[in-house]
Amino acid sequence: MTTLMMILGIVVFVVGLLFSIAWHELGHLSTAKLFGIRVPQYMVGFGPTLWSRRKGETEYGIKAIPLGGYIRMIGMFPPGEDGKLEARSTSPWRGMIEDARSAAFEELKPGDETRLFYTRAPWKRVIVMFAGPFMNLILAVAIFLGVLMTFGWNETTTTVRSVSDCVISAEENRDTCKDGDPAAPAKAAGLKPGDTIVAFNGERIEDWTTLQARIRDTMGPATITVEREGAEKVLHANLIKNQVTKTDGDGGYVEGQYVDAGFIGFTPASGIVEQSFTDSVDRMGDMMENGVEALIALPSKIPDLWDAAFGDGERKQDSPMGVVGAARVGGEVFTLDIPPENQIAMMLFLVAGFNLSLFLFNMLPLLPLDGGHIAGAAWESVRRKVAWVLRRPDPGPFDVAKLMPVAYVVAGIFVCFTLLVLIADVVNPVRIS
């Protein structure tokens, strides 16, 4: 049964992956057609074609390897300086440029002269190239907001999970009491597991972050209002100074760092809490920020990734994952001993996270990514505006094809990194619990 659920989870994730890719390419396709650019192909996947059908002037299809997708637009690059589409060169770098330029004009038909990508205004080209990643962002936001506002988010609550028997400094790193340890203020006050704290010193409390801050700022007598068996009860505690783990300001803890603060002595419970629209947007902002930070930190994670793939290094939870690793996690989600609605929510979060990553990654201003084409169109617009202001001749379209050697180097780096992640995903995968 576990194997069957694992396979089902992988299949569900792959379906979500294919939809995300198709959704991305639909953004490019729809805007390209809107601006009159001819699009001969719309493909989901790479490699051999499994299925295709031509509708109008575009062939729609699915390929064997679900690691991406593409649309083919006529005239991605302008002709060379001599106006020709192809002129062979003995230079390998120059050959790359000419091959890219020639490929951009494959299947050129009479009448296509007015339907070429490079002939469109820079702002239209920016829209066409941005539309793909933007579709992934829309999908990620829609899924995140939908799950957060209907299902909820697993977070620390103000409900008491357990009450400490004594006061122990966090730096001592022990759980059992010793003779001479003072009794915990929470126990002395009569706090019990299952109590939900609704007010502290007369101030209503809605979330754990606020309650934690109030407790840490208080030393001495305090009143704690709890909800117990449907009724509110006021408890009186005498908080003491103790060494506790430092917080990061976002509800997390800073490992190995301690501060002196007020202490009461109980462990809060965690649970699924539905989020308001405002809270959901705030969490989306945090996810976006974390995604940007993770993207910037990618190069620094390569040594650990190498050790995990070829050495005896530990595969960390925040290690980069590829499609294979994400699919494996998707399979594990369906094997967890949790309610079905939790499994569905986790799978949706996984697909949403994948779409957010696609958006951020594709916005890097590097060819052959969408962001590289956006940067090229933006630079062309700047050049033309500067020439107009200075009353100089129009410099014409920016020849992105000249950057193809750099694009091949970037693509080579991406391929090597993808292979490294793939090996790590197979031999030492990230696991969930």
Side-chain angles (χ1 to χ4, degrees):
M1 187 63 178
T2 299
T3 302
L4 181 61
M5 294 304 293
M6 181 82 172
I7 294 173
L8 178 61
I10 292 174
V11 170
V12 171
F13 174 79
V14 171
V15 171
L17 170 67
L18 290 174
F19 178 81
S20 301
I21 295 170
W23 184 249
H24 174 105
E25 298 304 333
L26 181 62
H28 292 313
L29 177 72
S30 58
T31 50
K33 286 182 174 291
L34 176 67
F35 295 134
I37 301 167
R38 191 164 75 83
V39 184
Q41 274 191 324
Y42 168 95
M43 290 289 169
V44 177
F46 299 117
T49 301
L50 300 178
W51 171 88
S52 72
R53 177 174 295 175
R54 179 170 295 278
K55 185 176 181 181
E57 61 186 14
T58 305
E59 178 190 9
Y60 301 86
I62 298 175
K63 291 182 174 285
I65 306 173
L67 296 180
Y70 66 92
I71 67 165
R72 196 149 59 83
M73 294 181 285
I74 296 296
M76 283 289 291
F77 308 115
E81 295 177 358
D82 57 1
K84 297 181 179 179
L85 301 182
E86 185 174 5
R88 300 311 303 162
S89 170
T90 57
S91 166
W93 297 107
R94 185 68 189 171
M96 291 181 187
I97 298 172
E98 292 159 356
D99 287 342
R101 201 186 314 280
S102 177
F105 288 88
E106 286 183 0
E107 299 184 17
L108 188 66
K109 297 180 179 180
D112 282 347
E113 294 80 7
T114 60
R115 305 188 64 191
L116 304 175
F117 176 78
Y118 84 89
T119 61
R120 295 302 179 262
W123 66 269
K124 291 183 178 180
R125 279 180 277 151
V126 168
I127 290 176
V128 172
M129 300 313 298
F130 179 69
F134 185 62
M135 293 289 272
N136 291 123
L137 180 62
I138 291 174
L139 187 57
V141 171
I143 294 175
F144 277 133
L145 290 182
V147 175
L148 289 171
M149 295 176 65
T150 58
F151 176 77
W153 176 268
N154 188 36
E155 64 180 27
T156 305
T157 68
T158 61
T159 298
V160 178
R161 189 182 75 184
S162 62
V163 179
S164 305
D165 291 323
C166 61
V167 178
I168 302 175
S169 172
E171 195 173 24
E172 293 185 35
N173 196 25
R174 61 183 172 91
D175 298 321
T176 57
C177 297
K178 294 181 178 179
D179 293 339
D181 288 340
K187 190 174 186 67
L191 198 64
K192 295 181 179 181
D195 287 348
T196 298
I197 299 176
V198 296
F200 185 83
N201 276 340
E203 179 186 349
R204 303 301 290 186
I205 298 294
E206 300 292 339
D207 59 85
W208 165 248
T209 303
T210 302
L211 176 60
Q212 183 186 54
R214 298 293 181 270
I215 291 173
R216 292 195 169 200
D217 291 339
T218 304
M219 298 178 197
T223 59
I224 304 169
T225 306
V226 302
E227 188 177 282
R228 181 185 297 171
E229 297 179 352
E232 290 190 1
K233 182 178 179 65
V234 179
L235 306 177
H236 298 272
N238 189 27
L239 277 64
I240 65 172
K241 180 180 178 180
N242 189 27
Q243 192 173 66
V244 296
T245 305
K246 184 179 179 180
T247 60
D248 59 7
D250 294 321
Y253 294 96
V254 182
E255 186 177 354
Q257 296 188 31
Y258 309 98
V259 295
D260 291 332
F263 179 80
I264 188 170
F266 75 90
T267 301
S270 62
I272 305 297
V273 179
E274 285 188 17
Q275 307 291 300
S276 66
F277 176 76
T278 303
D279 290 339
S280 298
V281 171
D282 288 341
R283 290 202 181 277
M284 268 297 305
D286 292 339
M287 292 174 190
M288 182 74 74
E289 183 180 345
N290 292 337
V292 172
E293 292 174 353
L295 192 60
I296 295 173
L298 270 184
S300 67
K301 295 182 182 296
I302 292 177
D304 288 341
L305 200 58
W306 182 273
D307 289 341
F310 300 105
D312 55 359
E314 177 188 0
R315 189 75 186 274
K316 297 181 179 179
Q317 289 294 309
D318 63 347
S319 175
M321 272 194 309
V323 172
V324 171
R328 183 174 186 139
V329 169
E332 289 186 1
V333 165
F334 274 32
T335 66
L336 294 177
D337 186 19
I338 56 177
E341 60 268 23
N342 291 40
Q343 294 175 337
I344 294 172
M346 289 182 69
M347 182 63 74
L348 288 172
F349 265 113
L350 186 62
V351 173
F354 176 79
N355 277 272
L356 182 59
S357 297
L358 271 181
F359 168 75
L360 295 174
F361 186 70
N362 273 288
M363 289 310 295
L364 290 174
L366 300 169
L367 287 173
L369 301 176
D370 295 329
H373 289 283
I374 292 172
W379 173 241
E380 177 185 323
S381 179
V382 170
R383 287 199 319 166
R384 285 183 157 178
K385 280 184 169 54
V386 169
W388 180 79
V389 170
L390 298 179
R391 297 184 178 180
R392 292 178 179 176
D394 186 345
F398 175 65
D399 192 359
V400 181
K402 292 180 178 179
L403 298 178
M404 288 311 296
V406 178
Y408 285 124
V409 172
V410 173
I413 294 173
F414 287 162
V415 169
C416 291
F417 180 75
T418 300
L419 289 175
L420 176 60
V421 172
L422 173 63
I423 294 171
D425 284 342
V426 172
V427 303
N428 193 358
V430 174
R431 300 184 183 277
I432 59 176
S433 59

